Amino acid sequence: MAVKIRLARRGRKKAAIYDIVVADARSPRDGKFIEKLGTYNPNTNPASIDFSEDKAFQWLMNGAQPTDTVKAMLSYTGVLYRRHLQIGVIKGAITQETADSRLTEWKEAKQAKIDSKRQNVGTAKEAAKKAALDAETKVKEARAEAIRQREAEKAAANAPAPAAEEAPEAPAAEGEAAPEEQA
């Protein structure tokens, strides 16, 4: 009987969440399984992978074959590296202490990388939010200025009516001054 470590879909349409399960290769995708190892949520950034690494390692050592997607997840979390190191210990190439120290170093480096990505995603979201707020403020100020100009034009349109009565007197005064300038 071939045993696979694979994903079983659940969740609503277009918002899938997957269970990481150990199942017989002949059983349907969402059908009967032997053991549930954890969950995978691709809707978050970065994707949330929560499963029992010890159980996954045990199943890999017993010969379970992961699907491509699960293999990528196991590699991402270090289970495949742990298996690689353990095979080296079994063959006598390295000691258990060396394998454990290498795995610890790798996990620390990987966790630092994941934390920096989470922080960058958060920083990028904040920067995008601030940029959107600044653009909105600029548009708001432009609208306010346009309203002020229209109000000033309306006030100017109402004000020239009294000024129009004074306007004929002004050219007459200028007309009288003009002949004096010619003389």
Side-chain angles (χ1 to χ4, degrees):
M1 172 168 95
V3 177
K4 288 209 172 263
I5 302 175
R6 64 180 181 202
L7 299 177
R9 189 181 195 279
R10 65 182 175 93
R12 66 178 199 266
K13 183 164 69 169
K14 296 189 180 181
I17 296 175
Y18 297 90
D19 289 329
I20 302 170
V21 296
V22 178
D24 182 4
R26 298 170 291 182
S27 65
R29 178 191 73 180
D30 300 333
K32 190 169 83 172
F33 58 86
I34 299 169
E35 184 177 8
K36 179 180 172 184
L37 300 178
T39 59
Y40 166 61
N41 185 0
N43 302 319
T44 60
N45 189 8
S48 303
I49 303 169
D50 181 35
F51 69 97
S52 173
E53 293 181 13
D54 292 331
K55 286 183 181 180
F57 173 73
Q58 183 180 7
W59 278 104
L60 284 174
M61 293 303 289
N62 288 337
Q65 295 297 312
T67 60
D68 292 339
T69 306
V70 174
K71 188 175 184 179
M73 283 186 247
L74 294 175
S75 176
Y76 180 78
T77 56
V79 175
L80 288 182
Y81 186 57
R82 180 177 170 192
R83 178 177 171 261
H84 169 73
L85 292 173
Q86 191 61 37
I87 290 172
V89 170
I90 291 169
K91 289 182 177 179
I94 57 174
T95 64
Q96 187 65 45
E97 294 80 25
T98 306
D100 292 342
S101 66
R102 286 182 186 176
L103 183 65
T104 305
E105 290 173 14
W106 184 88
K107 281 194 173 196
E108 288 172 358
K110 185 69 170 184
Q111 190 60 40
K113 196 174 182 182
I114 292 169
D115 290 341
S116 69
K117 181 178 180 181
R118 282 194 179 124
Q119 188 177 23
N120 288 342
V121 166
T123 305
K125 281 184 180 179
E126 290 174 11
K129 191 174 184 180
K130 186 174 186 224
L133 184 63
D134 290 343
E136 187 176 323
T137 303
K138 191 181 286 188
V139 168
K140 181 181 173 184
E141 289 173 355
R143 286 181 184 158
E145 183 61 32
I147 290 171
R148 279 191 219 113
Q149 288 179 355
R150 276 188 261 143
E151 293 294 326
E153 289 173 3
K154 284 181 183 178
N158 292 338
E165 294 173 2
E166 295 175 10
E169 295 175 8
E174 290 176 12
E176 295 172 2
E180 291 175 5
E181 291 174 8
Q182 291 176 356

